[in-house]
Amino acid sequence: MIWQLDLAVLALVVVAAVGAVTIRDLLGCAILFGAYSFLMCALWSIMGAVDVAFTEASVGAGVSTVFFVAAVFRTTRRTKD
Amino acid sequence: MKKIGLLIVILTGVFLIYATADFPRWGDPASPASTHVSPRYIEKSMEETEVPNVVTSVLADYRGYDTMFETTVIFAAGVACFILLRIPGSGGPEERLYRHVPTGITIRVKDARNVPSRLAQFERIDTLWVPHDLIIKTACRILIPFIQLFALYVIAHGHHSPGGGFQGGVILGASIIVMAMSHDLRASIERMGEKVNALLCAAGVFIYAGTGALCLSMGRNFLDYAALAPLLHCDPVMARSYGIFMVEIGVGIAVMATMIRIYDNVSSAGKYDEGL
């Protein structure tokens, strides 16, 4: 484990999480959630939990982003709050 | 209200961060999990189940009961999505769009009931999502078989490498979702119909629980795959390996069907007609 790499990925995770909560565009939120999941996947593979990282990459970054985008497509892109 | 919510969230966050101070250090060999449980699995997994990937053997054998209900939860999620969103009967908007394939001209049919019967050169396109891209269609058509092959590899090779039923099932489902996104939803439903999908969804959970029940009927505990040895003509250790594989197939089928079902319902708003 390289701590510089670990710290950089962790910082990006925080940025993606805060961005996903604060952004007003829901499509952007879905994409940021995808980025967040992918960075978590990177973090887990850094820690050596390859099975968890694989699940996160396929479920979190892959399919759930598609579900979010489909839900945004069927509802609205703007949030009221 | 917003301020109270923020206060609660911050307080909970502070408590959670405070609680992490009591955790054992990352990778600490003296932590409770690493002193009794982990060494037992790491040392005995290979000789008891013939599975080199300890994660798979823990997930599907030692903690098989847990994984069975995880699969059931996914099945329940699919059923809930279906009940909430599905609108029975033939849905679809009143007006339809058709594109003339050789020229690319789009025509609009105001009333869906009197669609002209001779539409050989026309293909139906969605009213909400009209962009048509040959490159995306072709690229996805080439990619889909490889995605599915990789998914089957992930399921079958879960004994030796990271992966297994959940991941492979999600990738299999994603290949059908890619089909729906690159062509249209009707093209994917043509290949993976609603009824087939519902049947597969339940069949996956049935395979899992059925494997457990088979062990029970052979006179051992529920999900104790060593009981399958006489049926599979192998020794009990190898039977556990095969049992894990049977269970993984069940998980893969259930997860694949559920992912496709959730996508179909969400993207078409329950009408199974026009979608993303």
Side-chain angles (χ1 to χ4, degrees), chain A residues 47 50-51 55 58 63 67 74, chain B residues 26 55 163 167 170 266-267 274:
Chain A
M47 285 196 258
V50 197
D51 267 280
T55 313
S58 56
V63 169
F67 288 166
R74 274 293 163 191
Chain B
W26 184 72
V55 178
Q167 294 94 325
V170 167
V266 169
S267 75
E274 292 191 342

Side-chain angles (χ1 to χ4, degrees), chain A residues 1 24 46-60 62-64 66-74 81, chain B residues 2 26 53 55-56 128-129 150 154 161-163 166-167 170-171 174 177 181 259 262-263 266-269 274-276:
Chain A
M1 192 165 80
R24 287 184 174 275
I46 288 170
M47 285 196 258
V50 197
D51 267 280
V52 186
F54 196 0
T55 313
E56 183 70 36
S58 56
V59 181
V63 169
S64 72
V66 173
F67 288 166
F68 282 137
V69 171
V72 169
F73 172 71
R74 274 293 163 191
D81 52 18
Chain B
K2 239 178 174 179
W26 184 72
N53 186 5
V55 178
T56 302
L128 282 167
W129 188 250
F150 177 65
V154 167
S161 62
F166 281 99
Q167 294 94 325
V170 167
I171 296 170
I177 292 174
M181 285 199 293
M259 292 301 145
I262 292 177
Y263 177 79
V266 169
S267 75
S268 70
E274 292 191 342
L276 188 63

Side-chain angles (χ1 to χ4, degrees), chain A residues 14-76:
Chain A
V14 172
V15 168
V18 171
V21 174
T22 51
I23 197 167
R24 287 184 174 275
D25 185 2
L26 288 177
L27 187 65
C29 183
I31 303 298
L32 274 171
F33 260 122
Y36 172 82
S37 286
F38 184 74
L39 289 166
M40 282 309 287
C41 159
L43 208 56
W44 271 316
S45 47
I46 288 170
M47 285 196 258
V50 197
D51 267 280
V52 186
F54 196 0
T55 313
E56 183 70 36
S58 56
V59 181
V63 169
S64 72
T65 308
V66 173
F67 288 166
F68 282 137
V69 171
V72 169
F73 172 71
R74 274 293 163 191
T75 53
T76 168

Side-chain angles (χ1 to χ4, degrees), chain B residues 159 225 228 232 234 237-247:
Chain B
H159 283 47
Y225 312 124
L228 301 175
L232 298 165
C234 59
V237 175
M238 211 55 211
R240 284 178 81 164
S241 180
Y242 290 140
I244 291 171
F245 185 57
M246 284 156 74
V247 159

Side-chain angles (χ1 to χ4, degrees), chain B residues 123-204:
Chain B
E123 66 170 356
R124 195 178 154 201
I125 54 177
D126 291 349
T127 45
L128 282 167
W129 188 250
V130 279
H132 168 74
D133 199 330
L134 186 67
I135 296 171
I136 292 178
K137 268 189 177 178
T138 315
C140 288
R141 190 180 296 163
I142 295 167
L143 267 177
I144 284 166
F146 292 103
I147 296 174
Q148 288 176 337
L149 201 62
F150 177 65
L152 292 177
Y153 164 79
V154 167
I155 294 177
H157 211 254
H159 283 47
H160 299 271
S161 62
F166 281 99
Q167 294 94 325
V170 167
I171 296 170
L172 259 184
S175 72
I176 306 280
I177 292 174
V178 163
M179 176 86 204
M181 285 199 293
S182 63
H183 292 66
D184 51 21
L185 195 66
R186 291 177 299 278
S188 84
I189 289 173
E190 221 170 81
R191 284 158 179 82
M192 176 59 93
E194 193 191 356
K195 280 177 186 161
V196 176
N197 201 19
L199 208 65
L200 283 178
C201 204

